[in-house]
Amino acid sequence: MNILLVEDEFRVADFIRRGLSAEGWAVDHARDGEDALEHAASNSYDVILLDLMLPGIQGQDVCRKLRARKSKTPILMLTALDSPEERVDGLKMGADDYITKPFDFDELIARVEALHRRATGYAADAGENILTSGSLTFDRSSLQVTVDGTEIELSKKERDLLLLFLTNTGRVLSRERILNSVWGLNADPLTNVVDVYIGRLRRKIGGEGKRIVTLRNVGYRMN
Amino acid sequence: MNILLVEDEFRVADFIRRGLSAEGWAVDHARDGEDALEHAASNSYDVILLDLMLPGIQGQDVCRKLRARKSKTPILMLTALDSPEERVDGLKMGADDYITKPFDFDELIARVEALHRRATGYAADAGENILTSGSLTFDRSSLQVTVDGTEIELSKKERDLLLLFLTNTGRVLSRERILNSVWGLNADPLTNVVDVYIGRLRRKIGGEGKRIVTLRNVGYRMN
DNA sequence: CCCACATCTCAACCGCTTCTGAGCCGATCA
DNA sequence: TGATCGGCTCAGAAGCGGTTGAGATGTGGG
C-alpha cells in the first residue's frame, strides 16, 4: 500500500496526502519530475499518482521515462485540462488511467484502488485484525471464526464471503458485487453460487438466517 | 436515474442490468447499434453505457453519431480490448470515460455515478447518507427505513418510490415523472401502478396519508 | 488409486412482489 | 341533485427471485 504522489502545488499535495493516508496508504511526496524519477528508482510503489503540470520535467515525460525503464507500476494521471487531447496524450505515454481536476475525492480513491487491485489482483486492507458482529468473531491472522465462543469450520469461499460481509456490515451488497469480490471478475454472470454459499454460510453461523438478511431484488445485508 | 445499456451479449447485459437496478437505476437495454440510436433518439437518458464490440454498427460509430446529433449524454465505453489505441479511439469519438472487460463491478458503479454527478453538477452521494422527513428516516447504505424509530419493511419498488419523494420533498411530482423515474422510460403509460404503489407506501409509512399529499390533476408531493 | 471435501450446476419448489382490472368513493360541475 | 372524472383500493393472476437438495466435477492427501 505504498503510493508516490507527484504534485508541485503544496496545498493540493497536502490535501491528497491526508486523504490517502486516512485510507491506509503510505504516501511519498515528490515535488517535481526529477524528484519523482529518483523516488521511483529507489523505491517500489504500488501506485503512482502523477500531476501533469509540473515545473521542470513535464508529467508526460516522467510517465514515458518510467515506462522506458520497464517500470510496471500503475500510473494515475492528474490533469487540470479536461480536453480529450490531453487524456489521449497521457494514455499514449503509458498512463493507466486519468482523473481531471477538480476531482471528487471518492472517485480518486476508487480509481487508485481499482488500479492497485487490477495490478495485484488481490485486495488487502490494513486495519483491525479481529472482526466481530454480534456474537461472531473473525480473526484475520489465524482465520479462525467463532460463534458464541465456539469455533466453527469454514471453507475458503465461505470465509471470503463472511469477510466481505464483515467489512461491510450494515451495507447492502448486490449479488453482482459479491460475485465480483469473492469469485473474481470473470465469473459466469448467470451462476447462482452466491445464493448457494449464502445458504451454507447462514447454516454455519446460525442465527436462523437473521444475521444476513435478504433484500429481495437487491441483495444481502449483514447486521 | 435512467441509463441505456448497449450490449449484445445477453448474459453480460443481464448481469449488468441486475447490478445497476440494485443500485437504483432504471435500465433500458439495446442489443445493437441501430437499436441504441433509436432508443437514444426517442428517450432522454442520464448515462449511456456502450459496449464497443457490437454486431452491425460499431460502438465507435454509435458514439460519433450521438455526438453529431449534439447529444450531451455522458457515455461510458465498455471494451474488451485493453490496448491504449482502443481507449484512445473511443475518447476521440466523444466518449467520456471507458472501462475494460472484465471489470470490477464496484468500479463500474463508481464510474457511472461519477459521470452522472459530473454531468448534473450536483452531488447526489457526497452529502448525507441518511434522508429524513418528519419522523421518517431512510438510510441509503443499509436501505433501512424507520418511522418513529421502528423499522418498517418495504419492497424494492416501494423503496425506490420513497427515495424519489425524499429527494424531492416539497416538490410536486407528476405521475409521468414518477413512472419514468421508478418504472423506467418504456413503462406502459396507461397503467395505474403509480396510484397503487402510492397507496401501499402511504399505508406503510403511516401518517394517515398526510405525508404524501395528492394534488388532483397534477400529481403528488411529500412534505 | 481411492476417498473426502470443496466447489459449482441444475432443477424443483415456494412465496412474495408486481401489476392488472374492476368497482368504489369523493370532487367538481352542470 | 345527478353525472362525470380522477383517484383509491381490493382481489387475483402471473411469474420472478430466492432457497434448497442432489448430484457432477475437481482437487489434494494418504
Side-chain angles (χ1 to χ4, degrees), chain A residues 7 20 35 73-74 113 122 133 143 155 167 177 179 190 215:
Chain A
E7 165 67 65
L20 283 168
D35 202 0
T73 313
E113 293 188 336
Y122 117 101
S133 157
L143 297 184
S155 75
T167 51
R177 258 173 213 248
L179 195 61
L190 290 184
L215 286 144

Side-chain angles (χ1 to χ4, degrees), chain B residues 32 69 99 141 173 178 214:
Chain B
D32 54 53
R69 288 187 197 164
I99 189 168
S141 64
L173 297 173
I178 296 173
T214 307

Side-chain angles (χ1 to χ4, degrees), chain A residues 25-180:
Chain A
W25 288 87
V27 185
D28 267 6
H29 180 205
R31 267 155 216 82
D32 57 49
E34 296 204 16
D35 202 0
L37 288 170
E38 277 176 35
H39 271 84
S42 49
N43 301 102
S44 126
Y45 296 98
D46 298 296
V47 180
I48 295 175
L49 189 51
L50 176 65
D51 190 354
L52 273 199
M53 306 288 287
L54 292 170
I57 309 179
Q58 278 287 309
Q60 287 98 332
D61 291 328
V62 174
C63 206
R64 194 167 35 209
K65 283 187 180 156
L66 283 170
R67 290 303 180 232
R69 288 188 199 164
K70 309 269 188 240
S71 158
K72 295 231 170 76
T73 313
I75 296 177
L76 175 57
M77 287 182 335
L78 264 178
T79 164
L81 311 159
D82 199 2
S83 71
E85 291 72 27
E86 273 297 325
R87 307 182 196 172
V88 164
D89 276 350
L91 293 173
K92 271 191 189 149
M93 294 305 145
D96 296 277
D97 200 356
Y98 66 86
I99 188 169
T100 55
K101 290 198 271 188
F103 53 82
D104 186 62
F105 200 79
D106 286 347
E107 198 192 340
L108 176 67
I109 294 289
R111 298 209 175 201
V112 166
E113 293 188 336
L115 278 184
H116 182 222
R117 232 177 296 135
R118 220 187 275 168
T120 62
Y122 117 101
D125 253 351
E128 208 25 73
N129 236 352
I130 294 189
L131 299 162
T132 66
S133 157
S135 60
L136 194 150
T137 74
F138 187 119
D139 185 329
R140 284 184 134 177
S141 56
S142 69
L143 297 184
Q144 281 173 314
V145 179
T146 65
V147 177
D148 297 324
T150 60
E151 187 174 349
I152 58 172
E153 304 260 323
L154 297 180
S155 75
K156 170 151 170 37
K157 290 275 185 226
E158 290 161 357
R159 224 170 12 235
D160 288 352
L161 185 58
L162 178 58
L163 186 55
L164 178 65
F165 273 108
L166 283 172
T167 51
N168 287 281
T169 42
R171 226 166 301 165
V172 176
L173 298 172
S174 69
R175 282 190 171 60
E176 292 69 26
R177 258 173 213 248
I178 297 173
L179 195 61
N180 266 204

Side-chain angles (χ1 to χ4, degrees), chain B residues 142-198:
Chain B
S142 70
L143 298 184
Q144 281 170 312
V145 180
T146 66
V147 177
D148 296 325
T150 59
E151 187 173 351
I152 59 172
E153 307 254 322
L154 297 180
S155 78
K156 172 156 163 55
K157 287 274 187 243
E158 289 161 359
R159 227 170 7 235
D160 288 351
L161 185 59
L162 177 57
L163 187 55
L164 178 65
F165 273 109
L166 283 172
T167 50
N168 288 281
T169 43
R171 230 166 298 166
V172 179
L173 297 173
S174 69
R175 281 191 170 59
E176 296 70 35
R177 172 79 203 290
I178 296 173
L179 199 59
N180 278 342
S181 303
V182 178
W183 278 265
L185 293 166
N186 35 18
D188 170 16
L190 293 181
T191 183
N192 77 333
V193 255
V194 176
D195 303 55
V196 174
Y197 272 81
I198 293 276

Side-chain angles (χ1 to χ4, degrees), chain A residues 82 84 87-88 91-92 95-98 100 104 106-107 110-111 114 117-118 170-172 174 176-177 179-181 185-186 188-190 215-218 221 223, chain B residues 11-12 14-15 18-19 21-23 84 87-88 91-92 95-98 100 102-107 109-111 114 117-118 126 141-144 151 156 159:
Chain A
D82 199 2
R87 307 182 196 172
V88 164
L91 293 173
K92 271 191 189 149
D96 296 277
D97 200 356
Y98 66 86
T100 55
D104 186 62
D106 286 347
E107 198 192 340
R111 298 209 175 201
R117 232 177 296 135
R118 220 187 275 168
R171 226 166 301 165
V172 176
S174 69
E176 292 69 26
R177 258 173 213 248
L179 195 61
N180 266 204
S181 303
L185 296 172
N186 27 21
D188 171 15
L190 290 184
L215 286 144
R216 208 160 219 269
N217 285 310
V218 182
R221 167 163 46 81
N223 296 317
Chain B
R11 306 176 136 218
V12 181
D14 201 48
F15 175 70
R18 283 161 189 264
S21 119
E23 297 290 327
R87 306 180 196 173
V88 166
L91 294 174
K92 272 192 191 150
D96 297 275
D97 200 354
Y98 65 86
T100 56
F103 52 81
D104 180 38
F105 200 80
D106 286 354
E107 199 190 334
I109 294 289
R111 299 210 172 200
R117 235 178 294 135
R118 220 186 276 166
S141 64
S142 70
L143 298 184
Q144 281 170 312
E151 187 173 351
K156 172 156 163 55
R159 227 170 7 235

Side-chain angles (χ1 to χ4, degrees), chain B residues 58-137:
Chain B
Q58 279 286 311
Q60 287 97 332
D61 292 334
V62 173
C63 208
R64 195 169 33 211
K65 284 189 179 154
L66 283 172
R67 290 304 182 229
R69 288 187 197 164
K70 309 270 187 240
S71 158
K72 297 231 170 77
T73 313
I75 297 176
L76 175 57
M77 286 183 337
L78 263 178
T79 166
L81 312 159
D82 198 10
S83 72
E85 291 73 26
E86 273 296 327
R87 306 180 196 173
V88 166
D89 276 353
L91 294 174
K92 272 192 191 150
M93 293 305 148
D96 297 275
D97 200 354
Y98 65 86
I99 189 168
T100 56
K101 291 197 267 190
F103 52 81
D104 180 38
F105 200 80
D106 286 354
E107 199 190 334
L108 177 68
I109 294 289
R111 299 210 172 200
V112 165
E113 287 182 347
L115 278 184
H116 183 221
R117 235 178 294 135
R118 220 186 276 166
T120 60
Y122 114 97
D125 283 84
E128 218 12 87
N129 226 359
I130 295 188
L131 300 163
T132 66
S133 157
S135 61
L136 192 150
T137 73

